[in-house]
Amino acid sequence: MADTVRWLTPEEQRAWRGFVRLQERLGGRLGRLLQSESNVSPADFAVLVHLTDVPEGRQRYQDLARALEWEKSRMSHHIARMAGRGLVVREECAEDARGAFVVITDAGRAAIEAAAPRHVEAVRALFIDHVTPAELRVLTEISERVLRNLDEEAG
């Protein structure tokens, strides 16, 4: 196996480690801001964003878990906690007795509506304001290409 490993070049390693550090630090900072200013965890925010992006604010458990890249147990536990706080509800699926939907509540909508402006301000201040429009376009192209590849591998 060691003979077939394509080790990263110094340039590749610098780029990869910089990307990972950026993602970790930016995610940590945004998460702390969300929690302290809006009382919404990054995981809550991710669920609520996905639910506000779909018709009727409802999505099948399995589709939401796949979109978030979460294991089934993490999804179940987190949705149960969010339901306990009134942010979402679980609805059984009439067509499939084994399936269920996660549905955003009015309280969940209020939470994301309160958190989103603060979040976007932080995203701008911590990231967007520090890259040029051309750099942003390149980042978009790179992200979309890598995500397409990940989707193809998963499919």
Side-chain angles (χ1 to χ4, degrees), residues 127-146:
F127 183 76
I128 299 295
D129 292 346
H130 303 283
V131 297
T132 67
E135 290 168 331
L136 196 58
R137 283 190 295 278
V138 169
L139 179 61
T140 301
E141 291 169 11
I142 293 167
S143 298
E144 289 174 351
R145 183 178 339 123
V146 171

Side-chain angles (χ1 to χ4, degrees), residues 45-59 104-105 108-110 112-113:
F45 192 79
V47 169
L48 295 173
V49 165
H50 277 279
L51 292 177
T52 58
D53 284 349
V54 294
E56 302 174 16
R58 65 196 313 258
Q59 193 168 25
I104 193 169
T105 63
R109 285 193 190 280
I112 189 105
E113 287 168 7

Side-chain angles (χ1 to χ4, degrees), residues 13-149:
Q13 190 172 61
R14 181 175 176 228
W16 176 248
R17 287 183 177 182
F19 170 74
V20 169
R21 272 193 317 276
L22 170 67
Q23 184 182 21
E24 290 169 345
R25 290 185 66 189
L26 193 56
R29 181 82 54 91
L30 290 169
R32 285 189 301 278
L33 288 170
L34 272 173
Q35 191 71 51
S36 67
E37 295 181 4
S38 303
N39 200 29
V40 174
S41 73
D44 295 341
F45 192 79
V47 169
L48 295 173
V49 165
H50 277 279
L51 292 177
T52 58
D53 284 349
V54 294
E56 302 174 16
R58 65 196 313 258
Q59 193 168 25
R60 283 182 168 272
Y61 257 81
Q62 65 192 31
D63 295 337
L64 184 56
R66 191 175 306 116
L68 294 169
E69 298 269 343
W70 288 3
E71 297 295 326
K72 185 178 177 181
S73 63
R74 177 180 182 190
M75 186 72 186
S76 292
H77 290 294
H78 194 79
I79 295 303
R81 286 190 299 274
M82 289 180 73
R85 292 172 37 223
L87 301 173
V88 298
V89 293
R90 175 191 165 100
E91 284 184 0
E92 298 303 320
C93 179
E95 302 86 39
D96 178 5
R98 295 176 302 161
F101 290 95
V102 179
V103 184
I104 193 169
T105 63
D106 289 342
R109 285 193 190 280
I112 189 105
E113 287 168 7
R118 292 179 176 114
H119 179 72
V120 78
E121 284 177 21
V123 168
R124 279 198 174 285
L126 297 172
F127 183 76
I128 299 295
D129 292 346
H130 303 283
V131 297
T132 67
E135 290 168 331
L136 196 58
R137 283 190 295 278
V138 169
L139 179 61
T140 301
E141 291 169 11
I142 293 167
S143 298
E144 289 174 351
R145 183 178 339 123
V146 171
L147 288 168
R148 268 193 311 276
N149 184 61

